[in-house]
Amino acid sequence: MTKKATGQATQQAVKTYAALLRGINVGGNKKVPMAELRAVLEGLGHDGVQTYLQSGNAVFSTAAADPVALARGLEAAVEAHFGFRVPCLVVDGAYLRAVVDACPFPAAELEGRQLHAVFFSEQPGAERFAALDEAAYLPEEYRLGDRVLYLYAPDGLGRSKLGEALARPAVVKGIDVTSRNWNTVVKLVELTGA
């Protein structure tokens, strides 16, 4: 094998990821300025860093291939820089595109605030939701997907009784969870180039 061929074989493909930080810049708590978050991500060696809104959405490119390791690295870097821990999920653009494509609700007919994607660090079992009386929450509805829960809340997440029930510790115990409205999910698909 030539030197050039060896170098190409060891080169890893660069992927674009979205980092979803949970619970920052809400009600004056856990302040994370986006310029500083971009600097933290760049300090980890990531390229093409962008942020979207103030609610903890970042996009970056890297040759690293393990989203869980990327999330743990970002959590540690945020804690070192800001002095508090922030749960973080890292997903690639292809996964976000699959989430959009698999949406069981008519997303194009709804306002972005009416539809949410609740992302999980690992797939929750359907038994976690067995105690929920879905009929009691109508017209709100949810559907479980691949490490995501689609939540239709016609009056928005802030007024959602179903969203509140789904956030109970018994449902999400041991799993990192963060939600985004549909407009944000679509924008992250665009930013990741998926």
Side-chain angles (χ1 to χ4, degrees):
M1 196 180 271
T2 68
K3 194 174 197 179
K4 182 178 178 184
T6 303
Q8 288 174 342
T10 59
Q11 221 175 27
Q12 292 181 318
V14 172
K15 283 179 98 172
T16 303
Y17 294 91
L20 310 173
L21 285 72
R22 180 177 172 212
I24 65 167
N25 301 333
V26 178
N29 297 317
K30 294 189 177 180
K31 289 278 198 184
V32 176
M34 293 300 99
E36 288 183 53
L37 177 59
R38 288 190 297 272
V40 166
L41 283 160
E42 289 166 352
L44 290 170
H46 302 317
D47 296 317
V49 177
Q50 301 175 67
T51 53
Y52 178 66
L53 302 175
Q54 299 294 312
S55 54
N57 306 296
V59 172
F60 62 92
S61 297
T62 183
D66 182 355
V68 174
L70 289 167
R72 298 300 84 84
L74 180 54
E75 287 173 351
V78 166
E79 186 169 14
H81 184 86
F82 295 102
F84 49 79
R85 184 182 182 282
V86 173
C88 177
L89 298 178
V90 172
V91 295
D92 66 32
Y95 170 75
L96 287 172
R97 166 54 66 194
V99 165
V100 168
D101 290 346
C103 182
F105 295 104
E109 299 170 21
L110 302 173
E111 294 176 38
R113 68 175 185 80
Q114 294 179 310
L115 184 57
H116 289 76
V118 181
F119 294 98
F120 301 107
S121 60
E122 60 186 71
Q123 184 68 30
E127 71 278 356
R128 288 180 181 251
F129 307 96
L132 286 175
D133 177 8
E134 294 180 51
Y137 297 99
L138 291 173
E140 296 182 45
E141 296 181 61
Y142 78 91
R143 298 288 182 275
L144 197 55
D146 175 21
R147 291 175 291 129
V148 67
L149 181 141
Y150 300 91
L151 174 62
Y152 169 63
D155 294 327
L157 191 59
R159 295 182 175 174
S160 173
K161 298 293 183 198
L162 180 56
E164 186 180 311
L166 291 168
R168 289 186 187 131
V171 175
V172 296
K173 186 178 179 182
I175 299 177
D176 286 333
V177 179
T178 189
S179 65
R180 297 296 185 270
N181 74 34
W182 201 248
N183 291 337
T184 298
V185 174
V186 170
K187 184 63 176 181
L188 290 172
V189 168
E190 176 187 321
L191 291 173
T192 57

